[in-house]
Amino acid sequence: CLCLCSCPARGLRIHEYLYFQVLSPGDIRYIFTATLAKDFGGVFNTRYEQIYLVPADPPEACGELNNGVFIQDQIALVERGGCSFLSKTRVIQEHGGRAVIIADNAYDNDSFYIEMIQDSTRRTADIPALFLLGRDGYMIRRSLEQHGLPWAVISIPVNVTSIPTYETMQPPWTFW
């Protein structure tokens, strides 16, 4: 049993899955699975019914962002590589992001979750940092590019225990 929405004061614990649903664009209107960073970042104590998932530009988010103004008060979609997970999280936090979802840069990865850990610095981050499978991140970015959209609209976190199994709308390329 996941404790997502029924225990908001405690938040989501390490090694548990967090689910989010893409509401728009419609061709990727699925529930996706992510994992929280192991030893840095915040937790989700708030449920966002509709918030933008904004792909970072540049995708690796290792420095100044070209679209940082769009990250403010939203959730950023970032690609793995180029710098540490913590560095990416801090860049998004500095641009006012509420959370960061870091997708694996292996676009064919549809089953292996990376454990995001603190780098060797003494820096911290306060916003939640999530890891997303590479295939899922690729499919979200591809859909946005095909539709010419600057972001997706998502709901996060989603309590899948309250949704009947036949209604969970999981991505067809991923097995749960």
Side-chain angles (χ1 to χ4, degrees), residues 15-175:
H15 302 301
E16 291 183 352
Y17 294 111
L18 182 138
Y19 302 93
F20 69 94
Q21 182 175 18
V22 173
L23 304 173
S24 173
D27 63 328
I28 55 167
R29 191 177 168 95
Y30 300 116
I31 295 176
F32 293 89
T33 305
T35 57
L36 274 173
K38 180 179 178 181
D39 56 5
F40 69 90
V43 295
F44 276 95
N45 289 322
T46 302
R47 182 166 193 271
Y48 300 100
E49 296 291 333
Q50 291 187 7
I51 191 166
Y52 293 143
L53 178 63
V54 182
D57 178 20
E60 292 179 342
C62 291
E64 190 60 33
L65 299 177
N66 298 324
N67 66 338
V69 66
F70 298 111
I71 302 290
Q72 177 80 35
D73 292 324
Q74 306 304 322
I75 297 176
L77 177 62
V78 172
E79 191 170 297
R80 180 181 178 204
C83 61
S84 71
F85 294 119
L86 177 58
S87 293
K88 295 170 184 302
T89 303
R90 288 181 53 85
V91 166
I92 299 307
Q93 180 175 304
E94 290 165 7
H95 282 86
R98 294 196 183 185
V100 60
I101 297 175
I102 303 171
D104 196 355
N105 56 0
Y107 300 149
D108 60 344
N109 177 9
D110 62 1
S111 60
F112 183 69
Y113 288 89
I114 303 292
E115 191 170 74
M116 297 191 310
I117 59 171
Q118 172 85 309
D119 59 19
S120 59
T121 67
R122 294 184 178 186
R123 300 174 302 163
T124 61
D126 298 320
I127 64 171
L130 304 166
F131 183 81
L132 181 66
L133 296 173
R135 170 76 74 190
D136 293 345
Y138 170 77
M139 297 301 278
I140 291 169
R141 283 189 301 274
R142 188 181 86 169
S143 175
L144 293 175
E145 289 170 10
Q146 288 176 341
H147 293 287
L149 297 172
W151 50 67
V153 179
I154 67 170
S155 177
I156 188 168
V158 172
N159 184 351
V160 296
T161 61
S162 66
I163 302 172
T165 305
Y166 63 89
E167 291 181 13
T168 54
M169 292 301 296
Q170 57 197 4
W173 57 87
T174 303
F175 294 103

